[in-house]
């Protein structure tokens, strides 16, 4: 038997009344990290924070000025200029590291432009995890001549716990010092999904 009833008599789920879940009011801007949405979990309405939907935490940072890279030494990039870091998970002033604080699967990468590389010399990029050698990416200068500028990039996917951190290192065997260019040297990371893939 169907019975007409007022909306005020309908049960409230998860802090929302029946009138507030009709979708009659449109969100006129990008959702904030503190916003919530409602989903049905096996028939039970639940609130979900937008942080679980967005690809956050994440960041993009670059060198604020050119950085010297010594011969045959792993050098951590001092990426001091943040372009994006809504979750405040990248340290751009002290350790120059990404500490996501949220467990999940992350896509991570970085790139650089290196000056002063000669024919046959190499530049290697590496993402360190928790202070230890991690993922390698290798680029060789194949051009003829000397004092070339080459662009190198690398990226990888990491399963990170909330207390893990990542740092970005460069190695070169030019024989002397070379320069990582500020306008071509950057790193980024963003969360793809949670820990269950």
């Amino acid at each position: 038997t169907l019975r007409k009833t007022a909306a005020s008599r309908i049960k409230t789920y998860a802090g929302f009344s029946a009138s507030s879940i009709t979708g009659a009011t449109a969100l006129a801007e990008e959702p904030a990290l503190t916003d919530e949405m409602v989903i049905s979990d096996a028939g039970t309405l639940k609130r979900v924070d937008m942080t679980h939907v967005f690809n956050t935490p994440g960041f993009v940072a670059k060198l604020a000025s050119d950085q010297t890279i010594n011969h045959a030494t792993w050098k951590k990039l001092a990426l001091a200029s943040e372009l994006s870091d809504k979750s405040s998970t990248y340290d751009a002033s002290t350790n120059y590291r990404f500490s996501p604080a949220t467990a999940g699967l992350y896509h991570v990468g970085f790139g650089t432009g290196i000056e002063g590389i000669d024919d046959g010399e190499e530049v290697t990029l590496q993402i360190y995890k928790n202070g230890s050698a991690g993922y390698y990416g290798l680029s060789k200068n194949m051009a003829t001549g000397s004092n070339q500028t080459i662009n190198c990039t690398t990226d990888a996917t990491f399963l990170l716990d909330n207390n893990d951190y990542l740092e970005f290192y460069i190695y070169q065997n030019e024989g002397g010092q070379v320069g990582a260019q500020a306008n071509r040297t950057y790193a980024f990371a963003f969360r793809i999904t949670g820990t269950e893939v």
Side-chain angles (χ1 to χ4, degrees):
T1 302
L2 297 176
R3 178 182 173 186
K4 183 178 179 180
T5 185
S8 60
R9 297 188 61 186
I10 298 176
K11 184 177 179 181
T12 298
Y13 292 93
F16 293 91
S17 67
S19 61
S20 67
I21 62 174
T22 61
T25 303
L27 183 64
E29 58 188 20
E30 179 181 343
L33 294 177
T34 55
D35 286 348
E36 300 170 332
M37 64 181 179
V38 179
I39 65 168
S40 173
D41 181 9
T44 301
L45 292 180
K46 295 183 178 179
R47 297 189 311 270
V48 177
D49 292 338
M50 293 305 295
T51 54
H52 297 297
V53 179
F54 290 163
N55 294 116
T56 56
F59 83 100
V60 180
K62 64 180 286 292
L63 287 179
S65 59
D66 291 359
Q67 182 174 341
T68 299
I69 311 297
N70 293 326
H71 169 71
T73 302
W74 284 104
K75 181 70 173 181
K76 181 163 69 171
L77 289 173
L79 302 166
S81 178
E82 287 180 310
L83 304 179
S84 178
D85 185 18
K86 287 185 177 181
S87 302
S88 299
T89 50
Y90 178 74
D91 178 0
S93 60
T94 307
N95 293 312
Y96 308 107
R97 64 177 55 160
F98 173 59
S99 306
T102 302
L105 190 67
Y106 287 80
H107 187 68
V108 184
F110 77 106
T112 187
I114 296 286
E115 301 173 307
I117 299 298
D118 300 330
D119 216 10
E121 296 169 350
E122 297 179 356
V123 174
T124 305
L125 308 182
Q126 185 171 187
I127 302 170
Y128 276 40
K129 180 179 177 182
N130 300 331
S132 299
Y135 179 81
Y136 286 90
L138 178 65
S139 176
K140 294 183 179 179
N141 176 22
M142 304 304 292
T144 59
S146 60
N147 292 320
Q148 302 293 308
T149 298
I150 62 171
N151 295 311
C152 317
T153 61
T154 190
D155 66 299
T157 301
F158 289 86
L159 188 60
L160 301 176
D161 291 331
N162 57 356
N163 58 350
D164 289 333
Y165 64 90
L166 301 176
E167 298 164 307
F168 306 92
Y169 282 77
I170 295 179
Y171 177 97
Q172 58 86 13
N173 69 348
E174 190 272 338
Q177 294 181 337
V178 297
Q181 297 176 323
N183 61 343
R184 296 184 181 183
T185 304
Y186 64 91
F188 69 88
F190 59 88
R191 186 167 169 259
I192 301 172
T193 184
T195 55
E196 297 184 8
V197 181

